[in-house]
């Protein structure tokens, strides 16, 4: 029941063949929640406690208040930034106020700021209004892909392209990093989650990588354009 409820949140009515796919997604979600819980317990909570101790020290002993206040200001600014990242991993609030291309570009700039990675972003003919399932799927694939690039590729730059074609939307995330043997990713929960998201949206997902030559991830989601939507895609 939990798996089927998760599938319905993606906008898809489940059937018997979807259980295994949703199982992959739910497993990935649980692993991500576990990581977030550890971050709260091991990182953010102690930092909040440290900031509280700084406030207490200021109250008890105002000597050196200016230096302490400056240190506290830096701590709170870093905490605010990390909480924004934490919140975005739980739910992509950018999708509530931005269209898909804007949200993906925003994610690119956020990753640049956090990691120092330079990301070349390009949007080609992407309409502002799109099916929610396609939007969430492609945004999450981009988010996971860029996270992997920043953490594992050792690349200094990456490229993200989102484009609309006659039969749907294609997202490509590539880098020139160290690459990997794609045969070893079969049990990787992040890859499985991206692959199954694309499958549940009726699309395709492909990982192309070799050691020493970088990685390219391609996700395609079909969209049945209306006449207006197709015209928008053709002239955006």
């Amino acid at each position: 029941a939990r798996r089927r409820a998760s599938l319905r949140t993606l906008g898809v009515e489940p059937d018997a063949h979807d259980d295994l796919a949703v199982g992959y997604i739910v497993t990935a979600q649980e692993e991500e929640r576990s990581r977030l819980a550890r971050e709260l317990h091991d990182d953010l909570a102690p930092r909040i406690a440290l900031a509280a101790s700084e406030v207490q020290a200021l109250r008890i002993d105002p000597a050196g208040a200016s230096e302490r206040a400056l240190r506290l200001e830096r701590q709170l600014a870093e905490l605010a930034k990390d909480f924004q990242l934490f919140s975005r991993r739980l739910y992509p609030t950018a999708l509530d106020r931005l269209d898909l291309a804007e949200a993906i570009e925003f994610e690119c700039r956020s990753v640049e700021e956090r990691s120092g990675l330079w990301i070349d972003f390009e949007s080609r003919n992407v309409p502002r209004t799109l099916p929610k399932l396609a939007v969430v799927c492609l945004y999450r694939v981009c988010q996971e892909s860029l996270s992997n690039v920043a953490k594992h590729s050792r690349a200094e730059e990456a490229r993200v392209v989102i484009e609309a074609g006659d039969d749907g939307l294609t997202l490509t995330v590539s880098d020139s990093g160290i690459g990997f043997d794609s045969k070893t990713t079969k049990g990787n929960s992040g890859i499985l989650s991206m692959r199954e998201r694309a499958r549940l949206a009726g699309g395709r997902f492909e990982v192309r990588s070799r050691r020493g030559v970088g990685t390219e991830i391609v996700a395609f989601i079909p969209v049945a354009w209306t006449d207006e939507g197709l015209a928008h895609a053709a002239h955006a």
Side-chain angles (χ1 to χ4, degrees):
R2 182 177 181 180
R3 292 176 180 179
R4 291 175 180 273
S6 296
L7 187 55
R8 288 191 177 97
T9 65
L10 296 174
V12 177
E13 188 62 30
D15 59 42
H17 298 290
D18 290 315
D19 283 348
L20 182 59
V22 179
Y24 284 133
I25 291 179
V26 171
T27 298
Q29 288 173 339
E30 290 302 321
E31 290 180 358
E32 178 65 6
R33 287 169 182 163
S34 177
R35 285 194 295 270
L36 292 173
R38 287 196 300 271
E39 286 182 28
L40 276 174
H41 182 272
D42 299 337
D43 181 30
L44 295 180
R47 288 164 62 192
I48 292 172
L50 178 61
S53 70
E54 291 282 359
V55 172
Q56 185 180 33
L58 277 172
R59 180 173 56 82
I60 295 174
D61 181 13
S66 178
E67 182 180 345
R68 286 179 174 175
L70 184 60
R71 183 166 60 243
L72 180 60
E73 182 181 3
R74 286 196 298 264
Q75 291 173 353
L76 292 176
E78 290 173 0
L79 275 170
K81 185 183 297 185
D82 288 346
F83 267 107
Q84 287 179 339
L85 173 61
F86 190 90
S87 174
R88 193 159 58 246
R89 287 166 62 186
L90 287 172
Y91 175 74
T93 54
L95 296 180
D96 290 337
R97 54 189 175 82
L98 302 173
D99 62 45
L100 176 60
E102 292 170 339
I104 287 180
E105 184 174 20
F106 178 79
E107 182 65 20
C108 291
R109 303 307 162 228
S110 298
V111 172
E112 280 184 330
E113 184 179 352
R114 297 193 307 269
S115 67
L117 182 72
W118 185 81
I119 302 172
D120 178 25
F121 170 76
E122 184 176 358
S123 172
R124 300 173 183 165
N125 305 327
V126 179
R128 297 183 62 86
T129 302
L130 294 164
K132 183 177 180 180
L133 179 59
V135 169
V136 174
C137 173
L138 292 176
Y139 180 87
R140 286 302 197 188
V141 169
C142 180
Q143 189 178 47
E144 179 71 21
S145 299
L146 289 178
S147 176
N148 289 341
V149 173
K151 290 178 181 178
H152 307 300
S153 75
R154 302 183 193 172
E156 296 182 355
E157 58 186 63
R159 178 168 171 78
V160 176
V161 179
I162 177 74
E163 58 184 321
D166 291 342
D167 51 356
L169 294 160
T170 301
L171 171 73
T172 305
V173 181
S174 57
D175 68 75
S176 55
I178 59 174
F180 56 88
D181 181 358
S182 58
K183 295 178 182 178
T184 66
T185 65
K186 291 184 178 179
N188 182 284
S189 62
I191 296 293
L192 287 172
S193 177
M194 290 189 286
R195 189 182 304 280
E196 294 308 322
R197 280 185 183 276
R199 193 192 73 82
L200 291 170
R204 302 186 300 273
F205 177 85
E206 187 176 358
V207 179
R208 305 164 184 163
S209 186
R210 287 188 300 157
R211 293 191 183 279
V213 296
T215 300
E216 183 178 70
I217 286 179
V218 181
F220 168 79
I221 304 300
V223 177
W225 306 111
T226 63
D227 291 341
E228 180 181 356
L230 184 58
H232 192 154
H235 298 95

